[in-house]
Amino acid sequence: PDYTAEVAALQGLLKRMEAHAAECQIGANVPGSKKKSCAQCTRWRQLQKLRDRFTRQLLQHGPGRPKQPEGEASSSSSPPKLLKRQVTMLLESAENAADLDLSRLPMLVDKELSAQSRRQQAKGWDAGDAPDGDEAASAGKKRKKKAGEEKGGKRSKPSGKASDEDEDERLQEFITAGARLAQAPDVKGTAAGRRLAKPPKGKRGAAAAAAGGGGADGEAAEPDPLTVGMHVLVDSRRRKSDSLPDMWSPIPAAKPPAKSNVGEVSAVHADGTCDVALVCNDAAAGGKCGSQCRALTGPGSLVKGLVPPQWQIACSGCFGVNLPHALPKLWCLGCERLLADGVQFRRAPAVGDSAYDTSLCLDCYGKLFSKTQREPLLAVLQEGAPKLLQSDFALLTWRPEDEREHDDFVQCTECERWYHFVCAHYPSPGQLPRTWRVESELFVCTRCERGRHASPRLLALQTRRATDLPTCMLSDAMEASAAEALKEAGVSLPKPLVVRVASRKRLLFQAVKELKQRYGGGYATEFPYLSQAIFAFQEVEGRDVFLFAMYVQEYDADCPPPNTNRTYISYLDSTRWLHTSPPGQRSVVYHAIVNGYLQYAGAAGFSHAHLWVEPPKAGDEYIFYCRRPDPAHGSRPMPTSQLRAWYVRMLERAQATGIVAEFGDIQQELVSGLTSLRDFPLFEGDFFPEHVAELVDESSGGAEPHFSRKQSITLVEDMKAQVAGVKRRFLVARLSGAAPTAPARGTDGGHEQPVRSNELVDSRQAFLAACKARHWQFSDLPRARYSTMMLLALLGGRPVPPPQSAS
């Protein structure tokens, strides 16, 4: 048969994958069976395994079959051929879905080819003598006939037709099972996929095959390379015949005050065994402790002759194998309800230009294919949703633990110890611009001599500080105002606050269409504003921590009414890693930061400040991803009344210091004297624009708004009634215009500030989405410092190594 077309299809697919891998060059420096950093490179490594097997078979039987050197015997380990239509089916599956998880297919190929070899040997044929052309078949007949005569009997050749049918049926089942597994949603790199490939006892199986650490179908796996000085976890109760521990079945680490099972390799022997000196299992102590700790945890003893199943390489920073990221969350795209663990839902693949799957709860799935409820649901779904059919949706069960990911590893080039990215503060190359080529820089851990051997560019990223970011008049004024307020309140900080404007971008808020139609030329078409992202940092235990963020919209004197000279604090969020003296003064510090901004805004000519008072719902975040929960509330959201009281205390302090003239809820300060709906200020992303549009539509009775005969006074009364229900969620402060307390620094002396845009932080939605995708968490201090390092790395631009001395 002619396999030229199949070979061309496979080669085309592999060339595209290889081109990405050659350009990406993200090293797979992960011990054991750890997931690789780059998904595309992982797929390339998986496809290489397929290429090595399938391409060899196709070329072996096709027109381009290479000629065997004369005098060289046929390899007895050459696997039997695959039928043309099964190979074509597999190639088409890979060609149409380049991002499939193919980690199981190499194992299935090995298993099926080995089974074919055993069947043929049982029928009297060597693996190398399978029907492979006339010449090979003739040679096989002669060898088998001769072997039968030597044993004193005769053996007849199996029926070629029966053999082909048997092979055809088994290969059909094998390819179908592999394609079904590859097309299963959300299997790639998850615990569900790992369970499907869980190796049998005593073998590494598919897990090792996928990571290149061992074979399948009975082939023993090789342990990870071990060197003196590495940290390992020890379990001397395991037997030599047990399977090697990996990331899915690791050796658990004992925590203080339990006896330590963390050790440092002191010797590696030629027979594969090693000697380990136990160390303190308190990662905060760095493996070193005093006599009292040794009496409790038992370090200091030497364990000799450990076989590979009895040890597992651990991170030299935290002494653990796995560093799990936060559990992922799944929302229904229809009702935006958070799906609980174990709940069934429906999922369809991405349609058209969308990059996201369509996940629906069972209620919304029923509405999508209901004649009466379909249209309202399509209005909130993606553009390609009308093209989805019932057959496109798979019935799945949401298991967040199956989707949990773990942190990657990096190896020190000096001591060869392994570290989690978070523990080593190693900037993830896949999250930085490719032109920086961080993966090519030498990583040297803090335990080693960093002066001569560490990469200057890598060190520049790891040690970048918030003070390296550019200042402006606003950041300088807020720092000075906050410092003065804290001094008056008797609160000191071990390390000073660093305030920076991370994004400053001019945008346009388009007028509500219904208001524009109603008032015509008496209402502006658009409202220009300056969007600013204001961040605050503090050094904690030697590294900067991102601990406060605020997004504001400034509608200045050039903006048309009713938004003229108004500033809107749209989002404000903080973490719990601020250090104060005395402790527990976070509210005082954050009040000082916000009041510092209000003071600057008043001096800049803004007359009113609007604040939205609404805590996030359970499971939601505003700016910071995966914050440490408040001990007073746990996983429950903060009550609105408590958050409102927090803002009221802040504004009372501002009023006492002359920053705010007066303040109140939105009904007191704005709606009580409202005479026309055109005088009600609206802001981008605010609560009211959508509700005002609905109100105008209702008043017009479905006709064009400017043809409505309803009196404006009645429309205003309807607006007042609607605001009355949500008045406690909004505060309005009239600013007094006090002068800022610090002069401009690092500017040209003018009031016009330069635009500073960065897609990462231009909007709080973009930043939050990036944190979720990149696992920038603030749940504990090590992760908060790592997330801050990555943020500063991207905000500061490409690293520039410090200048070298003339010597």
Side-chain angles (χ1 to χ4, degrees), residues 21 23-29 37-38 41 45 429-431 439:
E23 181 181 359
C24 182
Q25 295 183 357
I26 296 180
N29 52 352
S37 301
C38 177
C41 295
R45 285 185 289 272
Q431 299 177 11
E439 68 279 358

Side-chain angles (χ1 to χ4, degrees), residues 420-613:
H420 294 123
F421 281 11
V422 170
C423 300
H425 294 279
Y426 177 73
S428 177
Q431 299 177 11
L432 298 174
R434 188 171 298 167
T435 55
W436 293 10
R437 303 189 64 82
V438 175
E439 68 279 358
S440 63
E441 304 290 339
L442 296 180
F443 167 71
V444 179
C445 68
T446 54
R447 295 172 181 260
C448 300
E449 191 78 27
R450 303 188 72 169
R452 293 184 303 165
H453 309 287
S455 163
R457 294 183 183 275
L458 193 57
L459 279 176
L461 289 175
Q462 292 176 304
T463 59
R464 180 169 287 170
R465 308 304 296 266
T467 52
D468 297 333
L469 300 180
T471 63
C472 64
M473 294 175 62
L474 174 58
S475 64
D476 294 341
M478 290 180 64
E479 282 184 4
S481 177
E484 182 178 343
L486 294 178
K487 183 178 180 180
E488 294 178 359
V491 176
S492 61
L493 302 177
K495 295 292 181 179
L497 284 176
V498 178
V499 179
R500 292 293 183 268
V501 178
S503 172
R504 182 185 294 109
K505 190 174 183 179
R506 296 196 175 277
L507 300 172
L508 293 174
F509 169 49
Q510 299 297 327
V512 176
K513 181 180 65 174
E514 288 77 6
L515 287 178
K516 182 62 179 176
Q517 291 175 346
R518 179 176 181 83
Y519 296 108
Y523 196 76
T525 304
E526 56 190 16
F527 299 89
Y529 68 94
L530 182 67
S531 174
Q532 298 196 84
I534 303 171
F535 295 169
F537 306 82
Q538 185 189 36
E539 181 183 329
V540 180
E541 298 181 7
R543 292 186 178 273
D544 285 348
V545 176
F546 181 25
L547 48 83
F548 177 87
M550 182 171 64
Y551 280 84
V552 300
Q553 300 175 17
E554 296 181 350
Y555 300 80
D556 58 16
D558 295 330
C559 179
N563 288 17
T564 310
N565 287 330
R566 295 180 182 269
T567 179
Y568 174 47
I569 300 179
S570 57
Y571 286 95
L572 185 152
D573 203 358
S574 65
T575 65
R576 305 185 62 82
W577 304 115
L578 177 69
H579 284 204
T580 65
S581 180
Q585 302 298 314
R586 292 174 55 245
S587 293
V588 176
V589 176
Y590 295 151
H591 284 171
I593 295 175
V594 180
N595 285 336
Y597 168 75
L598 295 179
Q599 184 178 15
Y600 183 88
F606 291 95
S607 59
H608 291 82
H610 296 247
L611 298 90
W612 182 43
V613 183

Side-chain angles (χ1 to χ4, degrees), residues 362-434:
L362 297 185
D363 291 340
C364 291
Y365 171 76
K367 294 178 182 179
L368 182 61
F369 298 101
S370 170
K371 294 182 179 180
T372 58
Q373 299 174 303
R374 177 177 173 84
E375 292 302 324
L377 186 61
L378 289 177
V380 300
L381 294 179
Q382 306 177 58
E383 294 182 359
K387 301 179 182 178
L388 294 173
L389 305 176
Q390 283 185 298
S391 58
D392 295 329
F393 285 86
L395 179 62
L396 304 172
T397 301
W398 173 240
R399 302 289 187 190
E401 189 63 46
D402 293 349
E403 310 296 325
R404 187 197 289 269
E405 297 184 359
H406 299 81
D407 197 21
D408 291 315
F409 277 81
V410 64
Q411 189 175 28
C412 175
T413 56
E414 292 292 319
C415 64
E416 299 186 351
R417 292 186 177 97
W418 289 97
Y419 292 87
H420 294 123
F421 281 11
V422 170
C423 300
H425 294 279
Y426 177 73
S428 177
Q431 299 177 11
L432 298 174
R434 188 171 298 167

Side-chain angles (χ1 to χ4, degrees), residues 231 280 282-288 317 319 447:
H231 287 93
C280 176
D282 186 0
K288 300 178 181 180
F319 297 152
R447 295 172 181 260

Side-chain angles (χ1 to χ4, degrees), residues 128-144:
D129 297 331
D132 185 19
D134 296 338
E135 182 179 352
S138 177
K141 290 179 183 179
K142 294 178 181 179
R143 285 194 294 270
K144 284 302 168 185

